[in-house]
């Protein structure tokens, strides 16, 4: 269980790094960070940061 949580945390952190540092689409980021679907990516980022991934892009 702990290994799964660590892997999930790393995927979310990698996704956030890609959101902040690239011009990739959010769908591209979802798969590049290791998520199996865009929905899982959206849910994981929202659960971690209490806001959807698209909100990070609106600030640019």
């Amino acid at each position: 269980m702990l290994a799964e949580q660590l892997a999930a945390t790393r995927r979310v952190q990698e996704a956030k790094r890609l959101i902040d540092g690239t011009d990739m689409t959010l769908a591209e980021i979802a798969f590049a960070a290791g998520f199996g679907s865009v929905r899982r990516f959206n849910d994981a980022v929202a659960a971690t940061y209490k806001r959807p991934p698209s909100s990070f892009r609106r600030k640019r």
Side-chain angles (χ1 to χ4, degrees), residues 20-51:
D20 291 339
T22 72
D23 289 327
M24 295 169 69
T25 67
L26 293 176
E28 291 170 331
I29 290 170
F31 294 110
F35 290 92
S37 71
V38 175
R39 181 181 177 124
R40 287 187 183 180
F41 161 71
N42 287 335
D43 291 347
V45 172
T48 300
Y49 295 107
K50 307 298 184 229
R51 51 196 263 210

Side-chain angles (χ1 to χ4, degrees), residues 6-7 14 18 30 33 37 45 52 57 59:
L6 180 58
E14 176 65 5
L18 291 170
S37 71
V45 172
R57 283 287 167 91
K59 291 184 142 193

